[in-house]
Amino acid sequence: MDFLKPVFESGRIDFAGQGHASRLTTVLVAGAGVVSLVIGFAMQRLELCFYAFAVGVVMTYAVVLPPWPFFRKQPVAWLERKTPDAPLADTGPRRTLVEDVSDDNSD
């Protein structure tokens, strides 16, 4: 199982990978639904239809949930953090809403 260690260590997928995972989930779950419906109809057993669908959903999530490398092919290039050249100007003490209301002398 050492070959799976690099797959799970990162734990992150990129934005394109999230879209790919979403589309893949939709297609695989829909496919599992169609296959389970055909199996249940062919065998004339509703119970078998539910079990086939459950197996399809579990297999779908086994494919989609781990952060596989094909979900990390387009990493986001973040911009460098900018440091301000000069400190921000001090505009004096800030008044809160409570101070604004309590300073209001319009009786």
Side-chain angles (χ1 to χ4, degrees), residues 48-84:
L48 192 58
C49 177
F50 288 140
Y51 287 140
F53 183 70
V55 167
V57 168
V58 168
M59 289 173 49
T60 296
Y61 289 123
V63 169
V64 175
L65 285 182
W68 299 108
F70 59 88
F71 290 138
R72 293 180 278 158
K73 287 188 176 181
Q74 300 172 357
V76 175
W78 297 99
L79 298 175
E80 291 295 322
R81 183 177 179 188
K82 293 183 180 180
T83 57

Side-chain angles (χ1 to χ4, degrees), residues 19-34 53 60-61 64:
H20 183 64
S22 176
R23 286 187 302 277
L24 189 61
T25 301
T26 301
V27 168
L28 291 177
V29 169
V34 169
F53 183 70
T60 296
Y61 289 123
V64 175

Side-chain angles (χ1 to χ4, degrees), residues 1-103:
M1 296 299 270
D2 288 337
F3 67 94
L4 288 177
K5 190 178 285 188
V7 172
F8 293 107
E9 282 179 350
S10 165
R12 296 185 178 151
I13 63 175
D14 54 35
F15 294 118
Q18 289 176 359
H20 183 64
S22 176
R23 286 187 302 277
L24 189 61
T25 301
T26 301
V27 168
L28 291 177
V29 169
V34 169
V35 168
S36 67
L37 184 66
V38 168
I39 289 173
F41 185 74
M43 299 292 189
Q44 291 293 308
R45 292 186 60 193
L46 187 61
E47 174 186 7
L48 192 58
C49 177
F50 288 140
Y51 287 140
F53 183 70
V55 167
V57 168
V58 168
M59 289 173 49
T60 296
Y61 289 123
V63 169
V64 175
L65 285 182
W68 299 108
F70 59 88
F71 290 138
R72 293 180 278 158
K73 287 188 176 181
Q74 300 172 357
V76 175
W78 297 99
L79 298 175
E80 291 295 322
R81 183 177 179 188
K82 293 183 180 180
T83 57
D85 295 334
L88 297 174
D90 188 19
T91 58
R94 297 186 65 173
R95 293 172 28 150
T96 63
L97 182 61
V98 175
E99 290 171 349
D100 289 342
V101 171
S102 63
D103 289 345

